[in-house]
Amino acid sequence: MNSGVTSSEGSQDIALPVFEVMDVLGLTRLVKRSGDLGGSVPLRVAQGCTPLFEGNAFGFQVTLTQPITLRRTSGGFVADIASPYREALIAGHRAIQPRLLAQGFVEPKAALSNEFADHFVVVEACSTGGWRVRLWTGLLVRTDPGVWLRVSATANRRNRLVGVAEQFIRDDGRFVPLILDMSLPADAPARVSLVGEVGTVAPMDPTGCIEDVPLVRAPEVGLAHAAFYDDAYFEAKAERPTRKYRRMKLPVEPPTSNAPVCCRVVTAGPAAHTIAGGIPHVVFSNLVPFEVSFDGYSVAVDLEQEALRAGARAVERTFAEALGPTF
């Protein structure tokens, strides 16, 4: 399976990088999730929230063909699959191992040859509490030169009891076993089911950079923000979705060189984000604590008002410093 994207710029087709997938077990498959989660997104959200659609459709989802049950025993957790699929998968797993070794797809000292020699799911206790669950998906992946793969959780729709560690797969020219590193909390229930989508795989450019910029160095961003979120926007939004950002036509500037793409995080008030090194990425933390309740009819959000007011005052000071006290 080859996976890639193409786009058109004028009369030219631009082929974006692709990655290859080899399925040797039949335990999982890669699927492209729909933005509306198969029609399960509420209508009002579907009408007004393009970012939610884009986030749902991000990457490719690692989807189990059969549910896996993690069952607590006296010695820890064990993984089980309902018969007759269990016997067929275990037999297939044991049969494919020597073939992958013989054909050079797997190195003798690799995890697939050792840790996953007898089973495609390995569960072990963590020294800090909880459980580590490693799942070999039965897939091997290989990227084009200059492309890495990011492996992560499935975001908006997932089993909240199961964490998936973020990892990156390099473009070393070889097929690499796609292994999901998952975690269970120490107080996990006696039975945990892994069903459907369990991970996300997305191609990425590892050469990009992220710059942390105060608003005073990027006043044009503050002006654009204020122009979008004007009084008319909030007056209309109180009655119906405005879809204002859907109507915006942003200029498309084709790349003029092969230099790494860089983006900016513009700070306009209190900030709780961190920019990690290595593969650059940003982690945004919540600034205002809140509680959410649902009574069956409506959702109520209770914000910590003092934190909200303090943040608003900091934003006002930042805009005044960057754009002038009368802005």
Side-chain angles (χ1 to χ4, degrees):
M1 171 184 172
N2 287 340
S3 177
V5 184
T6 60
S7 63
S8 296
E9 183 68 34
S11 60
Q12 296 181 341
D13 286 337
I14 303 173
L16 300 181
V18 299
F19 66 97
E20 299 173 83
V21 180
M22 182 189 302
D23 181 5
V24 298
L25 191 58
L27 175 64
T28 65
R29 55 194 177 94
L30 286 187
V31 301
K32 186 64 177 175
R33 174 197 272 176
S34 64
D36 64 356
L37 299 182
S40 63
V41 172
L43 177 62
R44 180 175 176 84
V45 177
Q47 290 176 332
C49 194
T50 296
L52 175 67
F53 270 58
E54 295 175 348
N56 288 340
F58 173 75
F60 297 84
Q61 278 60 54
V62 181
T63 304
L64 290 167
T65 58
Q66 299 296 330
I68 296 177
T69 300
L70 301 175
R71 180 168 46 84
R72 189 188 294 271
T73 67
S74 58
F77 275 91
V78 296
D80 196 13
I81 296 179
S83 296
Y85 306 104
R86 179 180 184 276
E87 289 75 13
L89 283 170
I90 291 178
H93 172 263
R94 290 175 177 168
I96 201 64
Q97 292 279 37
R99 184 174 178 180
L100 292 175
L101 280 168
Q103 294 182 339
F105 288 110
V106 177
E107 297 180 359
K109 295 182 179 180
L112 204 58
S113 304
N114 298 294
E115 188 174 359
F116 293 95
D118 298 321
H119 207 296
F120 44 81
V121 185
V122 178
V123 185
E124 56 188 18
C126 298
S127 58
T128 56
W131 306 89
R132 184 188 187 198
V133 182
R134 303 199 75 204
L135 168 68
W136 178 45
T137 61
L139 305 178
L140 293 94
V141 293
R142 178 172 65 184
T143 70
D144 282 357
V147 182
W148 287 21
L149 292 180
R150 176 179 179 264
V151 183
S152 61
T154 58
N156 292 335
R157 182 170 63 182
R158 67 183 190 274
N159 187 333
R160 304 280 172 174
L161 292 172
V162 181
V164 178
E166 181 184 62
Q167 58 178 301
F168 299 94
I169 298 176
R170 293 172 170 267
D171 56 336
D172 61 1
R174 297 176 58 88
F175 274 101
V176 178
L178 180 58
I179 298 171
L180 297 183
D181 275 315
M182 300 182 287
S183 60
L184 287 177
D187 59 350
R191 296 174 65 91
V192 177
S193 294
L194 301 178
V195 182
E197 300 165 354
V198 291
T200 297
V201 177
M204 59 168 291
D205 179 358
T207 63
C209 65
I210 302 174
E211 184 182 6
D212 207 346
V213 179
L215 183 63
V216 70
R217 285 177 47 199
E220 71 283 0
V221 174
L223 291 170
H225 177 88
F228 184 93
Y229 293 106
D230 55 10
D231 290 341
Y233 171 83
F234 287 104
E235 290 172 359
K237 189 175 180 62
E239 300 179 0
R240 63 187 184 282
T242 66
R243 302 184 182 88
K244 184 175 180 179
Y245 52 82
R246 289 190 181 185
R247 300 194 300 269
M248 294 181 67
K249 301 289 185 181
L250 298 178
V252 178
E253 298 181 2
T256 57
S257 71
N258 293 325
V261 176
C262 203
C263 72
R264 296 181 296 171
V265 177
V266 180
T267 302
H273 63 270
T274 56
I275 299 178
I279 301 297
H281 62 285
V282 189
V283 177
F284 294 95
S285 300
N286 185 40
L287 280 169
V288 180
F290 64 91
E291 293 183 356
V292 180
S293 59
F294 177 62
D295 61 6
Y297 289 95
S298 59
V299 176
V301 180
D302 183 17
L303 296 165
E304 190 173 294
Q305 293 298 322
E306 183 52 42
L308 182 64
R309 287 190 290 268
R313 290 192 294 268
V315 170
E316 291 172 353
R317 289 194 299 270
T318 303
F319 268 82
E321 294 169 359
L323 303 175
T326 60
F327 177 76

